[in-house]
Amino acid sequence: MTFTLRLLMISTLLAVLTSCSSAPVNTYKPKTPPAQWVEPLPFVQPHDGKLDGLTNWWQQFNDPLLVQLIEAAQKVSPDIESAKARVIAAQTAVTLANSQLLPSVTADMSVSRSKGNMIIPGANNFVYPASTNASIGVNASWELDVWGKNKAAKSAELAKLSGTNALWHDARVIVAAQTATQYLNYRLCEKLSSIAKQNADSTGETARLSDLTAKAGFLAPMSASQSLAQAAEASSQQKKQALQCTLLIKSLVALTAISEPTLKEQLAKDDNSKLPMPAGVEVAAIPATLLDQRPDVLNAERNVDAASFEIAVSDAQRYPRLSLAGNIGLTYDSYLRKFSTNRGRSDGVTWSIGPVAVSLPIFDGGLREANLSAAKAQYEVAKSIYESVARNAVREVEEAMATLNNAALRSDDMDKAASGFKALLDATQMRYKANLASLLELEEARRVSLQAQANTYTLKNEQALAWISLYRAVGGGWAPALNMPALTFDPKLKLAEPNNSVSVVSDQP
């Protein structure tokens, strides 16, 4: 039997053994989520906006400064950089796992030159000349994946990579939501600070009039003291509100890395006559659809996949390992080429196939069984975490919708209250001009109207923050199609394999 035929037979046998190996199927079936939401869907949209996708949702605030701050925060966020580093580490782990499925090939080369002083007697005192020796060789080794250990390890790393990549998107959504929340709170703070100043001015004027009236003997000194105390309290509240605005600016500086003077200048230039309010968020009618939009849910799902593959890896460790080695080399000797009678054959080509090594686990003190038990325990943990994350995803959407629906119910009451107290203030001003109402009555009506106005602004900000919470709860515009690489994870939870048909978005890490 010729060498070529033998090599062909060995290669065919090894290919058959390796192709027969496979990782086990993940048979875990998640619990079916509720068929519908408990809270009614918030169809009442701010500004009568139409429900759109979430990809460019931040632009729907019609506030360029908000978009600018979000972009700045995402560029300098350590959380996003950490998520990106985890993606790179996961990619490295996939490369390492894939290398275990392929042969390892190395090349060796050496060159040496030597000269001796040895003289051969009787040969006219012949002296050995200097000689050059060179050799080059290629070595190959391959651990055959007979039991599917390496293939399962690669599948586990691919699952982790898919989940880690989804968490990178989640980190961007979280940073955007945090920045927007701080920005909206600052805009609310501006409104409340303006109202607090008007209230402080009103109570100050009331205290001044009360003091004059008390000195004239038309008001009890106790009432005048009460007015002074109310004025001092209002002035303190104004200073406290101003501090809150300062702290929110400093928080935005820390998030965006924009210098405080520059940020203050940008905030002052921006139109703050109205509180920022987004368009609506489209909410799927069935919670099961929501789970496909959450990157944290996909990450938990992929962790279940990875844990199942880790069981296969641990199980394969209990069986024999089969490896194959081989090498081929070429040698050169200048002395032999010069003086050998058969110069053309003085150089040598050597090769070998083998040994075919088998490693049998005989006794390990229960280590392999313990590793298998630990892998199964981690699989149960991954399933529990997945179910918890899925429940939490539904809870976050329910809470955001409950807040929005409640705010919508209170909005009419707040508008009626603000409108009524404004009408009272207008009527009191007309009575004051006609000398039918005192300045004290006018200032009291003004303070009540200002408080109603502050309550209205606070409710509108609460609605905007609830929309942001809902935006984040439904995935922030993420979809599995944005993940790369992605794994096919069908309803029957079959073996996950790379899906090369998924498109790549431009903002991948």
Side-chain angles (χ1 to χ4, degrees), residues 77-126:
S77 171
D79 294 335
I80 294 178
E81 288 301 317
S82 297
K84 186 185 297 184
R86 287 191 290 271
V87 171
I88 295 174
Q91 291 171 340
T92 303
V94 170
T95 302
L96 178 61
N98 186 61
S99 68
Q100 301 301 313
L101 290 168
L102 304 174
S104 174
V105 181
T106 59
D108 300 321
M109 183 177 64
S110 65
V111 178
S112 64
R113 184 170 178 79
S114 62
K115 179 179 181 180
N117 295 323
M118 185 176 180
I119 300 176
I120 302 178
N124 296 325
N125 294 327
F126 176 77

Side-chain angles (χ1 to χ4, degrees), residues 24 275 501:
L275 289 175
S501 64

Side-chain angles (χ1 to χ4, degrees), residues 9 62 73 81 131 133 173 186 238 274 279 283 297 395 402 444 461 473 486-487 506:
M9 292 178 62
N62 294 322
E81 288 301 317
S131 64
N133 298 311
V173 172
Y186 174 76
Q238 178 193 358
K274 294 183 179 180
V283 182
V297 173
R395 176 188 64 82
E444 178 64 24
N461 187 69
L487 301 180
S506 59

